Amino acid sequence: MSSQSYFSGEGRKGEVNELRLLLRNPEVQRDVLKYRTVVQRVISYMTLGIDMSRLFTEMIMAAATNDLVRKKLVYLYMCSYAESHSELALLAVNTLQKDCNDQDPTIRGLALRSMSSLRLVNLVEYVQRPLLVGLDDKNAYVRKTAVMGCVKIYYLAPAVVRDLGMVEKLYTMLEDRDPQVVCNCIVALDEILAGRGGMVVNNDIAHHLLVRLKEFTEWSQCLVLQLLTRYQPADEEEIYDILNVLDDRLKHVNSGVVLAAARLFLSLTMNMSELQEDINERIKAPLLTVLGLGSGSPELVHTCLHHIQLLLRRQPRLFDSDFKSFFCRYNDPSYVKFKKLELLVDIAAEFNVREIVEELSAYATDVNMEMACKSIRAIGRIAVLHSSASDFCRMKLLSLLTSEIDHVTTEVLIVMTDLVRKYSEASSDIVPYLASSVDVVTSPEGRAAIVWMLGEFGHELAEGPYLLESMVNEVSQGKSSQTRLQLLTAVMKLFFKRPPECQGMLGRLLQHCIDEETDMDVHDRALLYYRLLKRGVSHAQRVVANPKEAVTLFAEDRVVEAKDRLLSEFNSLSVVYGQLSVNFVPQEPPYTLGTGGSEPESPFQPSTLSSPTLPRSYEPEQQKRTSRPSVDTSVVPLGVTPVPSTGDAAVEDLLGFGLAPEETPPVIELKENPQLSPEEFESQWRLLPQSESLELQLSVIPSPEELEQTMTTQRISTMASSPPNQAIAKFYFYAQQVCRLRCSVVSGALELICERLTQKCSSSLRQLLTPEVT
């Protein structure tokens, strides 16, 4: 049957009863192909959402075959319906156990995988023996299937994994002759011991894995290299030995292996400052190779660029001589080009800045508007970061103004507003272009930039006030609020420098913004300026046009400390996202808590593995483990559910403001002999509202003497109680809290209602506050 007809559902008009008859038909059962076709129809209907559970018995009978395709389909059926039809799943156990002893290793592994995938706690006892036998099977496929079955059983019954010694067995199987079995053991141990920090890596395990590293597949090598980042070598000599072993992994054809090896290089030398520069130089060439070889995979190039940018934050001049490798190609997607622009800004240095700016200038006229704007922004960033190249960058930007392209002119003007903040002498270069740019620029951001520069440097331009006046005359035509806000400030600043030309338009602008403006920001700013001028021109000038110092450091130039910590998460999504994994990974180990049982009480310490190349033995390194959150229920306020503390400050402090110290729950201390008159008790009882009401089921009703004695031991006194032998017994209690400034009297009423079947205790509390000081 073709794949198209298999999933198209053709012939779905046949009922379940018809399929049952076909499965039971002796003629169909004798024909292997026909029998397989009927089973395929059942699976096809199942994948389309039709309930085929009524055929469970017939499908189990269909599993008794040597046809591997049919057996796989039947096992898929069993695993799909086992969890929702647990009573029917028992019928499949015998068939699966029989296949676990089959001579064909493929069938043994298939049966073992299906048994461990039934996801039923009541069937775990049937899976234990086949799973343990499978771990010692002579065939590697069966062994690696059994290893992953241990993880599936752990999800259902963690105690079984501990009692059967599966963790110890998995550690022993790290010496298995098949590399894929070893890789599966690593995955399984990391899953099972996730709540305890993952698999323990000691000296012998680390060296054993390093010796066999080349035997693993490419992606298994990535897994092993990631695991080895947890290992702490005993001394520097051991670090050098490991680096020598891993050196050829940096030349691997698989980019995943290269990045995993680079991460291990960085991890091993994290605390060796004298080696960091050499290590960066060593991993530079492999990263550039990945960047060049990944031209057919833009996603790989984008990821590699992020990792290179992270290394540049550690060693800024690392890729200075290789800046041409980051020039944009015509077939690069936009997101790769944008990242390359960021890297060109970081790589720019005194000897290569001219070539980089020339290249960026060519991108400024790109047909992609966003690419052009980002290129102009990159030139501006280089000018801000490199004072020696600021004149050259400024000339390139000014040359772009002659293009008279709206988005290019707009972006150049916005960039120039930053440049003149740092280099005040640049104003004489840009001011002559303002008059011609007014008619070209239409975007609110561009016009706001022109207005800002006219307010700051319009006095240097003869027609400066008249350019602003033309905009003031059009202010009622619904310009953007951003432009109107900038226009208010610019006219005010220019008024203090050239008052005769600006006095009239300033008055008109303030009158319009105060009387007719609908945007509250514009209205409030105009009102502020009006009141400042009314108080005095000198006061207003000191507030609005006070001389400013040149900007030396922009906010985006500040290095974020979190970027340095990203090196510990090299070769992960944290580098691409630009933030630590704790900020975007909501799930934390142990992943299986609450799903099937509790964690093993203590992780197994791995046995010593023999390694033929180790001349000396090392003591196993204990791995740091995390404990479960604990709850202190000794003092919990009434009606409040205790919440466990996670103990992870990084999760709670996402903004980096620092966590406030935990508040200690207040301890209530009661006076030994509280003083309260019956009259005061009664008056306060009637006035104060009820603050708490409780109802409890009591197995035994205490006597009044026992109840009063118990309360007295807790420093709670009895004010009054109902006569004995009453169907409803009422008690009125009070207590007095010891405090510095005020005394709190808590009074309560307790009703004991005696019934035939249940004894019910209800109480109400009222808190009385008195001004007395104890």
Short mmCIF file of all heavy atoms in Angstrom, two decimals, residues 542-565:
data_model
loop_
_atom_site.label_atom_id
_atom_site.label_comp_id
_atom_site.label_asym_id
_atom_site.label_seq_id
_atom_site.Cartn_x
_atom_site.Cartn_y
_atom_site.Cartn_z
N ARG A 542 17.77 78.77 32.14
CA ARG A 542 18.59 77.89 32.96
C ARG A 542 18.04 76.46 32.98
O ARG A 542 18.80 75.50 33.07
CB ARG A 542 18.66 78.45 34.39
CG ARG A 542 19.70 77.74 35.24
CD ARG A 542 20.03 78.52 36.51
NE ARG A 542 18.87 78.71 37.36
CZ ARG A 542 18.26 79.88 37.54
NH1 ARG A 542 18.71 80.97 36.91
NH2 ARG A 542 17.21 80.00 38.34
N VAL A 543 16.71 76.32 32.86
CA VAL A 543 16.11 74.98 32.87
C VAL A 543 16.16 74.33 31.50
O VAL A 543 16.52 73.15 31.35
CB VAL A 543 14.65 75.07 33.37
CG1 VAL A 543 13.96 73.71 33.23
CG2 VAL A 543 14.61 75.53 34.82
N VAL A 544 15.81 75.08 30.46
CA VAL A 544 15.62 74.49 29.12
C VAL A 544 16.92 74.48 28.32
O VAL A 544 17.23 73.50 27.64
CB VAL A 544 14.52 75.25 28.36
CG1 VAL A 544 14.33 74.66 26.96
CG2 VAL A 544 13.21 75.19 29.13
N ALA A 545 17.68 75.55 28.37
CA ALA A 545 18.85 75.69 27.50
C ALA A 545 20.15 75.76 28.29
O ALA A 545 21.07 76.48 27.90
CB ALA A 545 18.69 76.92 26.62
N ASN A 546 20.23 75.05 29.36
CA ASN A 546 21.46 75.03 30.14
C ASN A 546 22.56 74.33 29.34
O ASN A 546 22.31 73.29 28.72
CB ASN A 546 21.23 74.31 31.46
CG ASN A 546 22.32 74.61 32.47
OD1 ASN A 546 22.77 75.75 32.59
ND2 ASN A 546 22.74 73.59 33.18
N PRO A 547 23.78 74.85 29.31
CA PRO A 547 24.86 74.20 28.54
C PRO A 547 25.10 72.77 29.00
O PRO A 547 25.06 72.47 30.19
CB PRO A 547 26.07 75.09 28.83
CG PRO A 547 25.49 76.40 29.22
CD PRO A 547 24.22 76.11 29.94
N LYS A 548 25.34 71.89 28.03
CA LYS A 548 25.52 70.47 28.32
C LYS A 548 26.94 70.05 27.98
O LYS A 548 27.56 70.58 27.06
CB LYS A 548 24.53 69.61 27.51
CG LYS A 548 23.08 69.95 27.75
CD LYS A 548 22.20 69.07 26.90
CE LYS A 548 20.72 69.41 27.10
NZ LYS A 548 20.40 70.78 26.63
N GLU A 549 27.42 69.07 28.73
CA GLU A 549 28.73 68.51 28.45
C GLU A 549 28.62 67.47 27.33
O GLU A 549 27.57 66.87 27.13
CB GLU A 549 29.31 67.85 29.70
CG GLU A 549 29.57 68.82 30.84
CD GLU A 549 30.17 68.13 32.04
OE1 GLU A 549 30.35 66.89 31.97
OE2 GLU A 549 30.44 68.81 33.04
N ALA A 550 29.71 67.27 26.63
CA ALA A 550 29.73 66.28 25.54
C ALA A 550 29.55 64.88 26.11
O ALA A 550 30.07 64.54 27.18
CB ALA A 550 31.04 66.38 24.77
N VAL A 551 28.80 64.07 25.39
CA VAL A 551 28.55 62.68 25.80
C VAL A 551 29.79 61.85 25.52
O VAL A 551 30.31 61.85 24.38
CB VAL A 551 27.32 62.10 25.07
CG1 VAL A 551 27.10 60.66 25.47
CG2 VAL A 551 26.09 62.93 25.37
N THR A 552 30.27 61.17 26.52
CA THR A 552 31.47 60.32 26.33
C THR A 552 31.13 58.84 26.21
O THR A 552 31.87 58.09 25.59
CB THR A 552 32.44 60.51 27.51
OG1 THR A 552 31.76 60.21 28.73
CG2 THR A 552 32.93 61.95 27.56
N LEU A 553 30.02 58.41 26.81
CA LEU A 553 29.65 56.99 26.78
C LEU A 553 28.14 56.87 26.64
O LEU A 553 27.39 57.40 27.46
CB LEU A 553 30.11 56.30 28.07
CG LEU A 553 29.85 54.79 28.14
CD1 LEU A 553 30.67 54.06 27.09
CD2 LEU A 553 30.17 54.27 29.53
N PHE A 554 27.71 56.22 25.58
CA PHE A 554 26.29 55.98 25.37
C PHE A 554 25.86 54.72 26.10
O PHE A 554 26.68 53.84 26.39
CB PHE A 554 25.99 55.85 23.87
CG PHE A 554 26.08 57.16 23.13
CD1 PHE A 554 27.29 57.59 22.61
CD2 PHE A 554 24.97 57.97 22.97
CE1 PHE A 554 27.39 58.79 21.93
CE2 PHE A 554 25.05 59.17 22.29
CZ PHE A 554 26.26 59.59 21.77
N ALA A 555 24.57 54.63 26.37
CA ALA A 555 24.05 53.51 27.17
C ALA A 555 24.33 52.17 26.51
O ALA A 555 24.66 51.19 27.17
CB ALA A 555 22.54 53.69 27.40
N GLU A 556 24.22 52.11 25.17
CA GLU A 556 24.42 50.82 24.49
C GLU A 556 25.87 50.38 24.46
O GLU A 556 26.17 49.25 24.10
CB GLU A 556 23.87 50.89 23.05
CG GLU A 556 24.44 52.00 22.22
CD GLU A 556 23.58 53.26 22.28
OE1 GLU A 556 22.83 53.43 23.25
OE2 GLU A 556 23.66 54.06 21.34
N ASP A 557 26.79 51.29 24.83
CA ASP A 557 28.21 50.93 24.84
C ASP A 557 28.64 50.28 26.14
O ASP A 557 29.75 49.76 26.23
CB ASP A 557 29.07 52.18 24.62
CG ASP A 557 28.82 52.80 23.26
OD1 ASP A 557 28.44 52.05 22.34
OD2 ASP A 557 28.98 54.03 23.12
N ARG A 558 27.78 50.32 27.14
CA ARG A 558 28.13 49.71 28.41
C ARG A 558 28.07 48.20 28.29
O ARG A 558 27.12 47.63 27.77
CB ARG A 558 27.17 50.18 29.51
CG ARG A 558 27.23 51.68 29.77
CD ARG A 558 26.44 52.05 31.02
NE ARG A 558 26.50 53.46 31.30
CZ ARG A 558 25.58 54.34 30.91
NH1 ARG A 558 24.53 53.92 30.24
NH2 ARG A 558 25.70 55.61 31.20
N VAL A 559 29.08 47.52 28.77
CA VAL A 559 29.15 46.06 28.69
C VAL A 559 28.29 45.47 29.79
O VAL A 559 28.42 45.82 30.96
CB VAL A 559 30.61 45.58 28.84
CG1 VAL A 559 30.66 44.06 28.79
CG2 VAL A 559 31.47 46.19 27.74
N VAL A 560 27.42 44.60 29.39
CA VAL A 560 26.55 43.94 30.36
C VAL A 560 27.29 42.76 30.96
O VAL A 560 27.88 41.94 30.25
CB VAL A 560 25.25 43.47 29.68
CG1 VAL A 560 24.31 42.84 30.69
CG2 VAL A 560 24.57 44.64 28.98
N GLU A 561 27.28 42.68 32.29
CA GLU A 561 28.03 41.61 32.96
C GLU A 561 27.50 40.23 32.59
O GLU A 561 28.26 39.27 32.53
CB GLU A 561 27.95 41.81 34.47
CG GLU A 561 28.68 43.06 34.96
CD GLU A 561 28.61 43.19 36.46
OE1 GLU A 561 28.02 42.29 37.09
OE2 GLU A 561 29.13 44.17 36.99
N ALA A 562 26.22 40.14 32.31
CA ALA A 562 25.64 38.83 31.99
C ALA A 562 26.26 38.25 30.72
O ALA A 562 26.30 37.03 30.54
CB ALA A 562 24.13 38.94 31.83
N LYS A 563 26.76 39.11 29.82
CA LYS A 563 27.37 38.61 28.59
C LYS A 563 28.60 37.77 28.91
O LYS A 563 28.89 36.79 28.23
CB LYS A 563 27.76 39.78 27.69
CG LYS A 563 26.60 40.66 27.25
CD LYS A 563 25.64 39.93 26.33
CE LYS A 563 24.54 40.85 25.83
NZ LYS A 563 23.57 40.16 24.97
N ASP A 564 29.35 38.15 29.93
CA ASP A 564 30.53 37.38 30.29
C ASP A 564 30.15 36.02 30.84
O ASP A 564 30.82 35.02 30.59
CB ASP A 564 31.36 38.15 31.32
CG ASP A 564 31.86 39.48 30.77
OD1 ASP A 564 32.03 39.56 29.54
OD2 ASP A 564 32.04 40.43 31.56
N ARG A 565 29.06 35.97 31.57
CA ARG A 565 28.63 34.69 32.14
C ARG A 565 28.08 33.74 31.08
O ARG A 565 27.93 32.55 31.32
CB ARG A 565 27.59 34.94 33.22
CG ARG A 565 28.15 35.62 34.47
CD ARG A 565 27.12 35.69 35.57
NE ARG A 565 26.06 36.64 35.23
CZ ARG A 565 24.93 36.76 35.93
NH1 ARG A 565 24.71 35.98 36.95
NH2 ARG A 565 24.03 37.64 35.58
#
